[in-house]
Every structure is written in C-alpha cells, then in structure tokens.
Amino acid sequence: MATLIIQSATLVSAGHPLHLSTVDVLVKGGKIEKIGKSIKNEDKKAQVIDGAGAFLSAGFFDLNVNFGEPGYETKEDIQTGTAAAAAGGFTGVAVHPNTNPPLHSRSEISLIVNSAKGNLVDVLPVGTVSKKREGNELAELYDMKITGAVAFSDGTHSIQQAGLMGRALLYGKGFGGLIMTFPEDDSIAGGNKMNEGEVSTYLGMKGIPNLAESVMISRDLFLAEYNDAPIHFSTISTEEGVDLIKKAKAKGIQVTCDVAAHNLVFTDEDVKSFDSNFKVSPPLRTKKDLKALLKGLKDGVIDAVVSQHTPQEIEFKDVEFQIAKNGIIASQTVLPLLVKAGFTPEQIVEKLAVGPRRVLGLPLPEIKEGLEANLVLFNPSKKWIFDDRTNQSKSANSPLYGQELTGQVLAVINNNKVHIN
C-alpha cells in the first residue's frame, strides 16, 4: 500500500499513553511509522485521510459470520464476504461452518485458510463439533485445530445430545479447542418462527419461548463446570440467559458469550410488519430482554457483539414470513446499530475489537510505531445510506436496506492493504 496519513483522529486504545488524545498516524509499507500530535506530510504522493471527529482503534473482529463458501457461493463467497466485513470495520472474522459441505474436516478448513490468504481481512474458520453438523458423532477436532480452526461450533444447529456436548468440552479442553454453541432446545423451540409472547399471540404465529434458550444454557453450564472446560455461547437473546451467565461467571465457570447487534435494537414488535428481514435466529425478543442484553454488555457479562452476517438470496426472503429463511446481512451495519443503541466509542471498541479477540485468545493488535498496522477509523456521527451503491455483499436481506444510517467506518488497514469507504 502507498504511504497513508490519518490526521486529527481520536485514539481509542486503553492503556496507550495517547488514549483519547487527538493524533496523526503515518502508515508506510503496512507499518505504523509514526504517531504524533501533528505529522508533517513530506510525501506528495501520500494519501491523506481527515480523521476530524473520528476515532482510531485496533481493527474490529467479528466472532460470527457466514460466507456460504463452500456450497452456497450464490449467497456469499469469501471475496464478497470479506469486502462487506472490511466496509464494516472488521479486520478479522470467524467464519461459521453453515456450509455445504460443512467445515467438518481438515479439507474444508484448509480450503478456507488457503482461499483467504492475502486478504485485508483475516479469515479464521470455525470447525464443526459434530460430523456433518448432525449432532451424533464428534468431528476430528484436533485435526481441524492444527489445520487452522480457531474454535468449534455446529453453527445454527444447536447440539441436542448432552453426552456429545460433554465429550466435546472434555476433548477440546485437552488441546485448547474452544467450543462455541448456539443455545436452543429444539424440543421446546418446536421449529417456530418468532419470539413467544404478546406479539406472537396477536399475529397468530407460534412462538419460541425464552425457555428454549435458558434450558440449554443451564445444561451446558453444568457440563462446562463438570468438565472444568471453557464454553462460549453464541448470540444469546434473553434476560434469563444473561442472568444465568452472570451467575456462572461469579461462580468461576469458564464461560463467555456474545450477542448479535440486531438484538440490541430491534424487538418482536418489528415483526408486526411481516418483513421477512426481521426473521432471525434466535428471534427478536421483547423490550425487557433487549434492556437486559444492553445492561449485560455494559456490566461485562456479555463479552462481545457480533454481526451474525447471514446472506440469503432474494427467493428465500421475498416470501411469506413463516416460510422465509432466517438471517440478515449485517457486517456493514454493526457500527450504526451500536451507535443507535447508545454505545460510546470506547464501549464500541471494547465489544468489537477487544472482547472478541479475548474470547478466542488472540492478541489485540497494538497501535505502536514499528508494528504492522491493524486499524479502523470510524465516525459515530457521520451519516450514510445503505443501498446498492454501498452494499458490498452479494445479498441484500437487511431491514436497514435503503435507509440513512448514523455511524460510518471511514477506513480499515491490515495486511499492508487499505479499504476506504
């Protein structure tokens, strides 16, 4: 990349001597050459970015994205998925195994690792817990780990067999293989389409009660404690889930969790429009749940915010709500949703850059002279329109499509590459 100078940005990096100071940053050859109050531009060919009113931090990391490759490239492939991630401020993503075939052996893990080489966005594959994501037999976890898998999950398939989950936790513990799980008891959820409550009754749709999540969280916390193993809950959505995890952390159980950004802004009230772009899994819950999630984030119970980026072709979304597929494209809209939810720049950096890497045991990129630049520059006050011109994904399934949003990523830098929105 060419020489780049970011001017007059507020640095957000807890523990850094210039934390919350206005700085200029000179990046040359992919490395941070200089950080200072005012850097004189001596290179006429240098690209200059005005960071006034913007914040500079380590690049964001997303613990939950779906790219479709292999098998569902018509929804999203690695190139378009990473383009959307970069536009959303992410310099690293953990891609989940909701593919065909699923990422359940070293072959699929190698495919992702090799296909993503040289990208601005670091792509870390999450292997399956069970073969074919069927929940019956453990996949070759260790083989996938040494090939590049950063964690293990059956993606949108919740692991129903307690014995299998217990064995996975115990086995993974032996080589540092983190088990990530989507907590939902299928026998309680019943394949229903939205949150169970007043709105589902009003709309005449069968609902998924909070109990489906809390029962599974409770079970898996017992298993994690019994096996003295770490566990991560993906996309929790209920007040009860937050409470259970809070108590488990206080007890010393090795538990972390994340929440999808859309569950911090939207509720089941939004489903009244029957817009299938509000159909997600876990479903949008009540205002009471939303408030508990926000409090859980601010209290440190919830470790990270994720996009849960789930592209779908138009034929799976432009249908009746009951038969539409779950999911929204979200890599580019996490920042605006957190701004709308009232998060400060420091809280945004904590939940999008620091917390996710801490969950996976990854080092936080340092903002220091002489080191590789892994940076995001974002302005929480800048407005932009999410439409065909700005959307980087292959798909367009988002309830925010066509709207003016507040909070924009201006630039991301990683792996000697730069993306400017």
Side-chain angles (χ1 to χ4, degrees):
M1 61 177 277
T3 301
L4 181 72
I5 300 175
I6 298 169
Q7 295 180 332
S8 304
T10 300
L11 184 66
V12 181
S13 180
H16 195 287
L18 293 173
H19 176 52
L20 298 183
S21 298
T22 301
V23 299
D24 289 0
V25 177
L26 172 64
V27 180
K28 196 171 185 179
K31 290 187 176 182
I32 300 171
E33 188 162 291
K34 192 173 182 181
I35 304 172
K37 292 289 185 181
S38 182
I39 297 174
K40 190 175 181 180
N41 182 10
E42 297 177 348
D43 184 349
K44 291 181 180 179
K45 293 182 180 180
Q47 189 168 11
V48 179
I49 301 176
D50 182 7
F55 296 82
L56 183 70
S57 77
F60 300 154
F61 190 96
D62 197 341
L63 284 172
N64 190 327
V65 299
N66 296 284
F67 284 171
E69 189 173 345
Y72 298 124
E73 288 87 353
T74 52
K75 300 177 190 288
E76 197 85 283
D77 58 37
I78 288 174
Q79 291 307 309
T80 58
T82 52
F90 297 97
T91 57
V93 297
V95 62
H96 280 235
N98 302 307
T99 53
N100 184 26
L103 310 182
H104 65 166
S105 77
R106 63 191 308 162
S107 299
E108 292 82 24
I109 298 298
S110 293
L111 171 68
I112 300 299
V113 170
N114 292 326
S115 297
K117 277 181 180 175
N119 206 296
L120 183 152
V121 178
D122 300 317
V123 180
L124 307 182
V126 175
T128 64
V129 172
S130 66
K131 289 183 179 179
K132 299 182 181 178
R133 293 201 302 148
E134 291 176 347
N136 298 318
E137 184 181 354
L138 275 183
E140 294 294 341
L141 306 188
Y142 182 70
D143 273 1
M144 289 190 284
K145 173 75 172 178
I146 61 176
T147 309
V150 72
F152 303 96
S153 167
D154 274 359
T156 53
H157 290 182
S158 182
I159 298 170
Q160 301 301 302
Q161 286 190 26
L164 180 72
M165 175 58 87
R167 290 190 294 276
L169 288 166
L170 186 60
Y171 183 38
K173 171 187 169 183
F175 58 86
L178 177 66
I179 305 300
M180 307 172 78
T181 180
F182 167 55
E184 185 174 270
D185 187 306
D186 289 349
S187 65
I188 298 173
N192 295 328
K193 310 302 179 185
M194 67 171 295
N195 178 63
E196 180 183 272
E198 290 181 10
V199 178
S200 65
T201 303
Y202 169 76
L203 296 177
M205 277 198 277
K206 291 181 178 179
I208 301 171
N210 286 20
L211 185 67
E213 177 173 292
S214 54
V215 161
M216 194 59 84
I217 289 177
S218 182
R219 183 202 77 175
D220 288 347
L221 286 172
F222 275 117
L223 291 170
E225 182 179 26
Y226 179 80
N227 290 289
D228 191 25
I231 189 168
H232 178 82
F233 292 103
S234 297
T235 60
I236 68 167
S237 65
T238 64
E239 180 183 27
E240 294 88 342
V242 174
D243 188 54
L244 284 165
I245 292 167
K246 181 179 181 179
K247 290 175 179 174
K249 285 191 170 188
K251 195 177 179 183
I253 297 173
Q254 303 171 65
V255 56
T256 53
C257 63
D258 64 57
V259 61
H262 48 261
N263 281 99
L264 302 173
V265 174
F266 303 119
T267 69
D268 57 357
E269 292 281 342
D270 292 292
V271 178
K272 287 181 179 178
S273 66
F274 287 107
D275 181 352
S276 63
N277 288 317
F278 285 115
K279 188 178 181 185
V280 291
S281 178
L284 300 175
R285 302 289 186 180
T286 65
K287 289 179 181 177
K288 188 180 178 186
D289 293 304
L290 186 152
K291 287 179 181 177
L293 293 169
L294 289 172
K295 188 174 187 302
L297 278 163
K298 290 169 183 178
D299 291 348
V301 177
I302 303 175
D303 301 88
V305 175
V306 301
S307 72
Q308 202 189 24
H309 179 76
T310 307
Q312 299 284 5
E313 300 99 323
I314 190 170
E315 57 265 32
F316 293 114
K317 278 294 189 179
D318 192 16
V319 292
E320 294 86 350
F321 189 93
Q322 287 88 338
I323 63 173
K325 294 284 188 182
N326 291 315
I328 63 174
I329 56 167
S331 290
Q332 292 179 243
T333 56
V334 173
L335 176 63
L337 287 178
L338 289 189
V339 170
K340 189 171 184 178
F343 281 70
T344 67
E346 285 179 277
Q347 290 169 333
I348 288 169
V349 171
E350 170 62 30
K351 299 305 179 183
L352 291 185
V354 181
R357 289 183 172 93
R358 190 186 296 130
V359 167
L360 294 177
L362 301 174
L364 179 70
E366 288 187 74
I367 303 175
K368 188 176 178 182
E369 291 177 0
L371 297 184
E372 294 290 329
N374 185 327
L375 304 167
V376 59
L377 180 70
F378 64 97
N379 188 329
S381 302
K382 189 168 183 182
K383 297 183 185 298
W384 62 289
I385 296 173
F386 187 39
D387 57 13
D388 289 344
R389 184 183 64 83
T390 54
N391 179 29
Q392 300 296 314
S393 173
K394 277 188 179 181
S395 300
N397 52 301
S398 168
L400 297 171
Y401 215 72
Q403 294 184 25
E404 183 180 70
L405 307 177
T406 301
Q408 185 178 32
V409 170
L410 305 181
V412 286
I413 305 166
N414 189 35
N415 294 332
N416 199 15
K417 291 180 170 59
V418 61
H419 171 88
I420 298 174
N421 281 330

